[in-house]
Amino acid sequence: MIVALDGTVLVVAQPSMRRDLGASVAQVQWTSTAYLLTVAAFLVVAGRLGDRYGHSRLAITGVLGFAAASAGIALAPGVGWVIALRAAQGFFGALLQPATLALLRLAYPPDRLATPVAVRTSAIGVAAAAGPLLGGLLVAHLGWRAVFVVNVPLALVIAALILAVRVPEPERTGAGRPPLGSAALLVAAVAALVHALAGVPAYGWTAPPTLLGLGGAAGLGVLLVRWERRGAHPLVPAAVARSMPVMASMALLLTASGALSGALFTATFLLQDVRGLGAYDTALRLLPLTAVMVAGAPLAGFAQRRFGARRIALAGTGLVALGIAALCTEALTGAGGAVLGAGFAAVMVTATGTVVGDAPPGYAGVIGGLKQTATNVGPAFGIALAAGAGAGTEAGAGAGATPALLALAALAAVGLLPASLLPGRPRGAAAGDLVGEDAGQRGERAPAAHGPADGERR
């Protein structure tokens, strides 16, 4: 929640930051890009460290480090310090995010995961919606530095809660030293990919910087796969890499989060550049989307238990595509936004519940890291797709927004394939069971490869 709040609050604070520090537009952009690069690159590594050394320990380190970096940004004398500390903030955010999912996996049995996952999704939605409003108030009355000061007491409260709640830790995995080679290749590959995608709005898809970045990311990805196959203790264990529910859930999260972020990027420019609304009025127009998403998350959790992950994910994916297509009309923040919010809530709850519930208990952290990586890379790809189709440019502010939204609706529709691969509700399953998981999928009959037996009580 604190990470989502920080990301949306910053958007409102950046113009004031630029004036106060005398920064260029490119430097202000890097205050966001540096964070995005670091958090996306280290998520899987952080999850693996949590599996090895304990998720509570990683969560405490992450939240306190996030608070320290936020305090440093509030005192930063120049934009260079802000960029460096935002990168540090991203690193500690990467430690924090997989740990929260892993702690949910350890605190709740698989048949009760849907409800806490839905609550987590709602909390993130509330934070994302409150960010622009809170940021506007703080910047107007206290200045941009207050946006980062507010993180400190929130982080301390979260740290106290983590210390107060005792969660049983699973048997530690990964005998021997951590897979440093795999970790370095993964960090480099994800950083190259996100950097290339972040540059698409400025350079386009066919520019040399974009092509070099994408080619470098692909090459590093090939090296990573070969390295992982030869390793005795790979960064992503075979039990995880071969899990169809996990891989399908992450593909679905990538397409859905990319489509949503690209649609919001396009809608923001359309509302401000074509309809002449200010930033605050734009945030108010988009509130119905977030409100439906927040309210729909608990309902999606209930529906998942009743009808199964596959059906709810298919319905949610279809609603995301339909809602984005509806944004091409005058129903920009009305029915289209409500449909989009409802669909995204269904996708997030079902895909997250499936990916976390299917995790062998010794690898909940690495799976949480993979899930968070998908939801961080997805928005970068979605915004790049929207910008490449004309959104965000002077020409794309009007007519160019329609092809961008249609392309994003098509991206969302691609998610129907991985959604169809999610587990369905077993025949005769009790209403309280985690739908889509039989005993074998929950790991109750066989030990996971390279890890502890999943039949342990948790």
Side-chain angles (χ1 to χ4, degrees):
M1 184 173 179
I2 188 174
V3 175
L5 180 65
D6 179 80
T8 54
V9 164
L10 179 62
V11 174
V12 181
Q14 284 178 329
S16 177
M17 178 195 301
R18 179 190 175 193
R19 292 190 296 269
D20 184 45
L21 298 178
S24 66
V25 174
Q27 288 174 321
V28 171
Q29 182 183 0
W30 267 101
T31 63
S32 295
T33 303
Y35 176 88
L36 179 62
L37 281 172
T38 311
V39 73
F42 283 97
L43 281 166
V44 177
V45 176
R48 195 73 168 93
L49 290 174
D51 290 332
R52 180 178 174 83
Y53 299 110
H55 300 296
S56 296
R57 186 179 303 174
L58 262 289
I60 289 290
T61 303
V63 73
L64 293 180
F66 196 90
S70 298
I73 294 171
L75 300 173
V79 69
W81 281 97
V82 174
I83 294 171
L85 288 168
R86 280 287 287 170
Q89 199 179 38
F91 173 76
F92 289 111
L95 297 183
L96 179 62
Q97 293 182 61
T100 59
L101 284 173
L103 289 173
L104 284 181
R105 176 67 173 87
L106 296 171
Y108 294 90
D111 60 337
R112 294 173 55 199
L113 262 177
T115 298
V117 166
V119 171
R120 180 181 183 271
T121 302
S122 295
I124 292 173
V126 170
L133 302 177
L134 177 61
L137 291 174
L138 290 174
V139 172
H141 295 285
L142 300 173
W144 68 268
R145 296 178 188 273
V147 166
F148 296 96
V149 173
V150 75
N151 287 335
V152 177
L154 287 176
L156 294 178
V157 170
I158 293 171
L161 290 175
I162 294 173
L163 290 173
V165 178
R166 296 293 179 181
V167 177
E169 293 284 354
E171 180 182 337
R172 304 289 165 78
T173 62
R177 63 182 184 179
L180 300 180
S182 295
L185 286 171
L186 178 63
V187 168
V190 175
L193 175 61
V194 174
H195 186 272
L197 293 174
V200 170
Y203 302 114
W205 284 101
T206 58
T210 303
L211 295 177
L212 286 174
L214 295 176
L220 289 168
V222 171
L223 288 176
L224 174 62
V225 171
R226 292 182 176 179
W227 189 286
E228 286 278 274
R229 287 178 176 176
R230 294 198 304 262
H233 299 285
L235 184 65
V236 180
V240 174
R242 295 171 183 170
S243 171
M244 181 60 72
V246 170
M247 295 296 110
S249 296
M250 288 190 299
L252 178 57
L253 288 168
L254 190 148
T255 56
S257 62
L260 175 68
S261 296
L264 291 177
F265 175 84
T266 305
T268 299
F269 277 96
L270 194 57
L271 284 171
Q272 295 189 21
D273 293 350
V274 175
R275 302 192 177 183
L277 299 180
Y280 187 79
D281 288 334
T282 298
L284 290 177
R285 291 291 186 92
L286 295 174
L287 272 181
L289 183 155
T290 309
V292 172
M293 185 173 69
V294 171
L299 296 177
F302 171 80
Q304 180 187 356
R305 292 191 298 271
R306 179 69 177 84
F307 299 106
R310 184 188 304 143
R311 292 180 181 178
I312 303 306
L314 285 170
T317 303
L319 290 176
V320 171
L322 181 63
I324 293 174
L327 298 185
C328 297
T329 70
E330 289 298 318
L332 183 61
T333 55
V339 169
L340 175 56
F344 189 74
V347 170
M348 279 293 293
V349 170
T350 53
T352 302
T354 300
V355 75
V356 177
D358 197 72
Y363 296 118
V366 72
I367 287 185
L370 287 169
K371 181 265 175 187
Q372 293 298 134
T373 301
T375 54
N376 277 271
V377 174
F381 178 72
I383 292 173
L385 180 62
T393 64
E394 184 176 351
T402 297
L405 290 170
L406 292 178
L408 292 163
L411 173 63
V414 170
L416 290 171
L417 176 58
S420 68
L421 300 176
L422 295 186
R425 185 173 185 265
R427 292 183 179 179
D433 290 344
L434 179 63
V435 294
E437 289 189 345
D438 55 24
Q441 287 172 314
R442 289 195 300 264
E444 292 174 355
R445 289 185 292 193
H450 306 297
D454 202 17
E456 298 171 355
R457 295 294 300 171
R458 47 191 185 275

